[in-house]
Amino acid sequence: MRRDLANPRLLRVLNERRLLDQLHEHGPASRADLAKSTGLSKPTVSAALAGLAEDGLVHLVGEVSGRPGPVSSLYDVNAASTHVAGIDIGRDWIRVAVADLRGAFAGRTDGRNTARTSAELAELVGELAGAAAREAEVEWRSITCAVVGSPGVYDPVRGGLDFAPNLPGPPDLADRLHAALGVDLVIENDINLAAVGEHVHGAGRGKANFALVSIGTGVGMGIVINGELYVGARGAAGEVSYIPAAEDPPASAPPTGPFAGDADPLKGGADSFAHDADPFTHGATEAATSAPGVVRAARAAGLELETAREVFAAAAEGNAAARSVVEAEGRRIGGLLVAVAAVLDPEVIVLSGGVGRNLDLLGASVERRIAELGPLRPRVVASALGDSGVLLGAVAHAKSRAWDLIFDARKH
């Protein structure tokens, strides 16, 4: 017999985890039902439930009558016994949600990202986290796990963020977040978490293989293979902003308006004109295809518009120049999606982000470009999660980690 399976404490914890997984997935059940569904003996189920109830992880939620024999008690996960947090750090918005063990939001706070330094950003995240916890009526320090979604790729060895030109420097944000939040903390790429959110709640639900391509302030991709998030050898899988663009980025028009001469990427709206178009910094595809690229193309076409949102609105109203810009954007996106399909062959590609989810305006040109490039015909849909995709993914990740942390502690 394996030595670890001969450890009574470990066996007890494994049995408890099996019961909680069953309750979490299927909802309230009696001792008899749990014994039948898990294959554990009734005495084992009773002992495990007693231990879990003593520690507040399960509780009685009702009774079942009308069956032969005595009335049966119904048990369920006590979802409010533990709370987790998801944090979405965007260039212009920071979103924080506190959720229970089933992922239900108990508190949420969104705030403008006005930070100009990593110190200010960490302080702002801490303030919003505290506000979300107060709304959830829990102490922030009681949070079992928090997961942060951020642009870039986190290097846990060095403790820094790579490929995150839209966040303020110096590159010590990770350390500052750990210090400001003071709880078990995981930092993950925001688009990867958006893919997790889509897998749990959106168009990727039930799909073993799919990709989420986000086009907004930046361009990125999250990949799910065989039902699991795929991040690559160094966490950089999906950094499609660095794929060579099918065509050169549109030439920048002379800067005008409130952001003229301002190189700070934290200023302005999420798709403002103030964006470094350098392909080395942001990647050739991002420079051409992101929201600022759409604005540059509109300026080159003679449109005095400040945001990609305004460009799409003008196109929807029938403006010929704006429609031409949107057509060209759709063709760029179509070329990117063919590259994604050729490498991954996903069941579906989900488009998200402030630009990408405008599939009603982009769809026709995306489809035409895909048809021109060969026989691959990926199924493309728009995300229905809006601005909450990263946050939902962060909470799902935090919830999964919280279960592991809870049971690791129970082994000792």
Side-chain angles (χ1 to χ4, degrees):
M1 180 181 292
R2 283 173 48 190
R3 180 170 298 179
D4 55 353
L5 293 181
N7 183 329
R9 182 185 294 272
L10 179 59
L11 282 173
R12 185 202 70 201
V13 171
L14 291 174
N15 291 336
E16 291 174 345
R17 181 67 185 265
R18 196 168 180 178
L19 292 179
L20 271 181
D21 286 345
Q22 180 70 20
L23 291 172
H24 181 260
E25 185 173 352
H26 298 286
S30 67
R31 289 185 180 92
D33 290 336
L34 287 169
K36 183 177 180 180
S37 60
T38 63
L40 298 173
S41 69
K42 290 182 181 180
T44 298
V45 169
S46 295
L49 285 175
L52 291 168
E54 183 179 350
D55 292 337
L57 292 172
V58 301
H59 59 168
L60 284 169
V61 295
E63 295 180 335
V64 177
S65 58
R67 299 179 180 179
V71 174
S72 299
S73 299
L74 284 178
Y75 291 86
D76 197 8
V77 173
N78 183 10
S81 64
T82 301
H83 286 83
V84 300
I87 301 171
D88 173 15
I89 298 178
R91 194 182 77 175
D92 292 278
W93 285 91
I94 300 169
R95 299 177 172 89
V96 182
V98 171
D100 65 22
L101 273 177
R102 277 211 160 95
F105 287 9
R108 174 172 174 171
T109 304
D110 295 6
R112 281 282 186 180
N113 186 350
T114 57
R116 301 180 66 89
T117 68
S118 58
E120 289 179 2
L121 181 53
E123 181 179 2
L124 183 55
V125 170
E127 291 172 358
L128 292 171
R134 287 191 295 275
E135 182 179 324
E137 298 183 346
V138 299
E139 293 289 334
W140 172 258
R141 297 288 173 173
S142 72
I143 296 296
T144 298
C145 174
V147 171
V148 173
S150 166
V153 176
Y154 177 62
D155 181 348
V157 176
R158 186 170 50 83
L161 283 165
D162 298 322
F163 311 122
N166 292 330
L167 291 181
D172 59 354
L173 177 60
D175 288 340
R176 290 187 180 277
L177 286 173
H178 279 281
L181 295 174
V183 298
D184 182 87
L185 189 67
V186 175
I187 299 175
E188 180 59 86
N189 174 264
D190 54 353
I191 309 304
N192 285 343
L193 291 177
V196 172
E198 205 70 43
H199 196 212
V200 175
H201 300 283
R205 191 170 186 176
K207 302 291 190 299
N209 301 282
F210 80 94
L212 177 136
V213 176
S214 176
I215 302 172
T217 303
V219 176
M221 179 171 68
I223 305 165
V224 171
I225 297 177
N226 295 329
E228 299 290 337
L229 184 68
Y230 177 76
V231 300
R234 290 172 293 277
E239 291 293 324
V240 292
S241 60
Y242 294 96
I243 291 178
E247 54 188 273
D248 291 335
S252 298
T256 62
F259 310 121
D262 192 336
D264 184 355
L266 288 177
K267 283 194 173 181
D271 44 7
S272 70
F273 181 60
H275 187 287
D276 182 0
D278 175 17
F280 186 82
T281 302
H282 290 273
T285 287
E286 181 170 306
T289 311
S290 66
V294 171
V295 175
R296 284 191 293 273
R299 292 289 183 82
L303 296 169
E304 292 298 318
L305 300 175
E306 297 292 340
T307 69
R309 187 178 295 108
E310 292 176 3
V311 176
F312 280 95
E317 293 169 0
N319 181 286
R323 291 179 72 88
S324 177
V325 171
V326 170
E327 167 77 19
E329 174 71 359
R331 290 178 63 81
R332 285 189 290 271
I333 293 173
L336 173 61
L337 299 188
V338 167
V340 170
V343 174
L344 298 177
D345 187 26
E347 297 172 64
V348 64
I349 298 176
V350 181
L351 279 179
S352 71
V355 171
R357 57 177 173 257
N358 290 287
L359 206 53
D360 54 337
L361 293 171
L362 291 165
S365 55
V366 168
E367 290 179 3
R368 282 193 293 271
R369 185 57 174 157
I370 288 174
E372 292 170 3
L373 292 175
L376 297 176
R377 297 290 188 273
R379 178 175 170 242
V380 182
V381 301
S383 172
L385 300 184
D387 294 327
S388 296
V390 176
L391 199 57
L392 288 166
V395 165
H397 191 356
K399 184 183 71 171
S400 177
R401 178 167 172 79
W403 283 113
D404 291 339
L405 291 173
I406 288 169
F407 281 96
D408 282 347
R410 293 178 72 80
K411 292 175 185 177
H412 305 291

